Amino acid sequence: MLPGVRWRCHLWVQLGVLVALFLYSYHLTLQTQRLPPPLRPTLPLSHRQSVTLSDGTFTFHLNLSCYEAQFPQLQRHLCRAVIAEAGVCKRAGGLPLFLLAVKSHPASSGRRAALRRTWARAGVAGGYRLQPLFLMAKTPDARHLSLVRQESSHFRDVVLWDFLESHHNLSLKERCFLQWLHTHCRQAAFVFKGDDDLFMNPQALTGYLRHLPNASLFIHGNIQRHAAVMRRGKYSVSRTLYPLEHYPHFASGGGFVLPGSLVPALYQASLRLPVFPLDDVYLGFLVLAAGLSFSHEKRFRVWGAPKDELQVYRESFTVHGIPPKRMEEVWKGLWSPRQGKEA
């Protein structure tokens, strides 16, 4: 090939390479422009506008900014446990675990003592291993906190969080307990949750769960169906916070049973929803958001016994509003002949 021809060929090859590089670069530019914008990180709960839930009858709109404005402590608290009792669910025992979680106040040491002498004690009933756990928050009274620490050291059955006890903070206790369950007690077959002025019949309740088909698919309790919203009194909420006139279904907080298998779904729902300032209604919203269901049973007597007779306590799962002295009288009347057998 002549030198001039060879030079021109070389030049054309170089120009071709340059054109190819230019076209390739332009193509990449177009492709980049067509890509969707990068996803923004999920906004914090307080920065989102609202959550909408429906149960087929009512649609519930929860304005998150209102919850942040009126009850910021319920939305922001990080659930730090002063006493965590992280190993309580891992104690030895081959039977399925039935956790007996009791909401209590540090000042109520007399009630806790009565419960530990009656139904809230480690043992066996209906093929389940019973394990009590008392759920508390702080109090400004140093003497009461000192007694709680002594109880924890002796019985190893206390969880104490670092927020203060109050009526509205019971909802925070609900959220923090779900987190505690999710972290420390995934092996529980069932979780009973009730107040410290409540009588619970372990034999009757475990027998009911053992013989009920698909018991692990439902939350069991005395179910309030679309209860009316109160605008006055202890359980009132403002129209600004909650303009609707009815709540979703919820289990009365006096006492109910939660299958352990449903805890993850409820815990995930608690990360998405604002904390409602009434604890039983708050759980109702979590159940709705998680797509779960309730099972109503009137033997959860959340308004007390129709008659203060042993037969009523024998047939009931729970009876709410029982003072410590009567609690022990009922327990002895029902179970004294069976000491040494299953509680």
Side-chain angles (χ1 to χ4, degrees), residues 17-45:
V17 171
L18 289 174
V19 169
L21 288 173
F22 173 78
L23 291 174
Y24 179 69
S25 176
Y26 181 68
H27 174 73
L28 286 179
T29 301
L30 289 177
Q31 290 295 101
T32 303
Q33 290 174 348
R34 293 192 188 104
L35 290 174
L39 294 175
R40 295 180 180 180
T42 303
L43 293 175
L45 185 67

Side-chain angles (χ1 to χ4, degrees), residues 67 70-75 77 103 137 163-176 230 233-238 241 247 275-282:
Y67 289 84
Q70 293 192 33
F71 296 97
Q73 79 280 9
L74 299 184
Q75 319 310 321
H77 189 78
K103 295 179 292 182
F163 56 88
L164 290 176
E165 290 279 358
S166 74
H167 173 58
H168 288 138
N169 279 355
L170 289 173
S171 295
L172 188 54
K173 190 178 287 187
E174 194 79 47
R175 178 167 72 85
C176 292
M230 297 183 183
K234 180 180 179 180
Y235 300 102
S236 67
V237 296
S238 69
L241 184 78
Y247 290 126
V275 180
F276 198 85
L278 300 176
D279 60 332
D280 45 11
V281 176
Y282 174 52

Side-chain angles (χ1 to χ4, degrees), residues 59-73:
T59 299
F60 308 94
H61 301 284
L62 308 181
N63 187 319
L64 304 184
S65 61
C66 289
Y67 289 84
E68 180 71 22
Q70 293 192 33
F71 296 97
Q73 79 280 9

Side-chain angles (χ1 to χ4, degrees), residues 33-280:
Q33 290 174 348
R34 293 192 188 104
L35 290 174
L39 294 175
R40 295 180 180 180
T42 303
L43 293 175
L45 185 67
S46 60
H47 289 198
R48 287 182 270 149
Q49 291 185 342
S50 65
V51 171
T52 299
L53 302 169
S54 177
D55 64 4
T57 301
F58 294 107
T59 299
F60 308 94
H61 301 284
L62 308 181
N63 187 319
L64 304 184
S65 61
C66 289
Y67 289 84
E68 180 71 22
Q70 293 192 33
F71 296 97
Q73 79 280 9
L74 299 184
Q75 319 310 321
R76 299 175 183 176
H77 189 78
L78 298 179
C79 296
R80 291 176 290 264
V82 179
I83 302 174
E85 201 55 63
V88 67
C89 293
K90 300 177 182 177
R91 293 172 185 169
L95 296 174
L97 173 64
F98 198 136
L99 187 68
L100 310 178
V102 183
K103 295 179 292 182
S104 190
H105 190 289
S108 300
S109 58
R111 290 183 181 181
R112 291 191 295 278
L115 265 58
R116 288 188 178 105
R117 288 192 291 266
T118 57
W119 62 266
R121 58 181 179 179
V124 173
Y128 292 93
R129 176 171 64 92
L130 307 180
Q131 174 59 54
L133 188 71
F134 291 90
L135 312 177
M136 288 178 270
K138 292 174 67 176
T139 173
D141 192 317
R143 182 174 61 91
H144 289 152
L145 283 179
S146 177
L147 288 174
V148 168
R149 292 183 183 279
Q150 292 177 36
E151 288 180 43
S152 173
S153 177
H154 183 74
F155 295 103
R156 312 295 296 176
D157 62 358
V158 169
V159 174
L160 176 74
W161 286 282
D162 68 348
F163 56 88
L164 290 176
E165 290 279 358
S166 74
H167 173 58
H168 288 138
N169 279 355
L170 289 173
S171 295
L172 188 54
K173 190 178 287 187
E174 194 79 47
R175 178 167 72 85
C176 292
F177 181 52
L178 281 174
Q179 178 178 307
W180 185 90
L181 284 173
H182 183 73
T183 305
H184 300 298
C185 200
R186 297 188 185 186
Q187 62 270 57
F190 290 98
V191 178
F192 172 79
K193 191 158 183 286
D195 296 338
D196 63 5
D197 63 343
L198 175 139
F199 170 84
M200 194 271 271
N201 185 332
Q203 284 286 1
L205 186 52
T206 55
Y208 162 79
L209 294 171
R210 188 173 66 252
H211 295 106
L212 183 69
N214 300 319
S216 62
L217 301 181
F218 304 98
I219 295 165
H220 307 266
N222 195 305
I223 310 306
Q224 309 305 300
R225 301 186 183 279
H226 292 145
V229 178
M230 297 183 183
R231 301 300 181 189
R232 294 182 180 180
K234 180 180 179 180
Y235 300 102
S236 67
V237 296
S238 69
R239 290 188 182 277
T240 303
L241 184 78
Y242 192 76
L244 300 175
E245 298 300 326
H246 295 87
Y247 290 126
H249 300 336
F250 62 85
S252 178
F256 62 90
V257 173
L258 168 66
S261 59
L262 305 186
V263 169
L266 291 171
Y267 171 68
Q268 291 300 321
S270 75
L271 302 179
R272 305 194 305 271
L273 266 60
V275 180
F276 198 85
L278 300 176
D279 60 332
D280 45 11

